[in-house]
Amino acid sequence: MANTKLDEIYRKFSNKISDYTFLNVSAEELESEFRDYLDTSIAEFYRCRNNLDIDEENQEFKSELTRYEKEILVRLMMKNYMHPQLLSSETIRQSLSDADFKIYSQSAHLRELNLMYNRLKREADRMIRSYTYFDLGDKS
């Protein structure tokens, strides 16, 4: 049994998002950012059957997570990644601009961000419900 490495979760997460601003930050800053998303996701996935405690020295979970558990964490990380973008003062300020085209364009952008956030939240909630009520404990 091999414990799940945090890098594996971070890799899965980064493969599902496209944020070119991450190219301009150091590896340490990126890992810190990903860790913040992961920590929040762990708190939200409190019904996980496996131990989600982290061995800080080895940068791994203290258990081997199933594929489904990994996907739940990644989905929650995606939701947590979207949340600050949705609430950023820049996004809100742009949506409240006084130019007609800009109002439509930015408010449409804000609406799309909100729809994406809600979709990710629903998917994560559905996955956790399925996980809680069904035996989705395949190891991998």
Side-chain angles (χ1 to χ4, degrees), residues 48-65:
C48 186
R49 293 181 196 112
N50 278 308
N51 186 351
L52 292 179
D53 291 338
I54 294 174
D55 175 349
E56 296 295 342
E57 184 177 330
N58 295 313
Q59 289 297 291
E60 64 185 17
F61 289 96
K62 293 182 179 179
S63 62
E64 181 182 14
L65 303 181

Side-chain angles (χ1 to χ4, degrees), residues 5 8 12 30 42 44 46-47 56 63 76-77 91 101 110 115-116 128 131-132 134 139-140:
K5 299 279 188 190
E8 180 183 351
K12 287 177 176 292
L30 188 61
I42 288 169
E44 293 175 318
Y46 59 89
R47 289 189 172 177
E56 296 295 342
S63 62
L76 288 167
M77 287 175 71
T91 304
F101 176 74
L110 184 60
L115 288 171
M116 174 63 77
I128 291 171
Y131 173 85
T132 302
F134 303 105
K139 290 285 184 186
S140 293

Side-chain angles (χ1 to χ4, degrees), residues 87-116:
L87 296 178
S88 80
S89 60
E90 177 70 15
T91 304
I92 293 170
R93 190 180 94 259
Q94 287 175 350
S95 72
L96 299 176
S97 173
D98 57 353
D100 287 342
F101 176 74
K102 201 166 188 171
I103 288 174
Y104 173 75
S105 178
Q106 296 303 328
S107 64
H109 177 69
L110 184 60
R111 186 172 38 259
E112 291 301 317
L113 284 174
N114 195 30
L115 288 171
M116 174 63 77

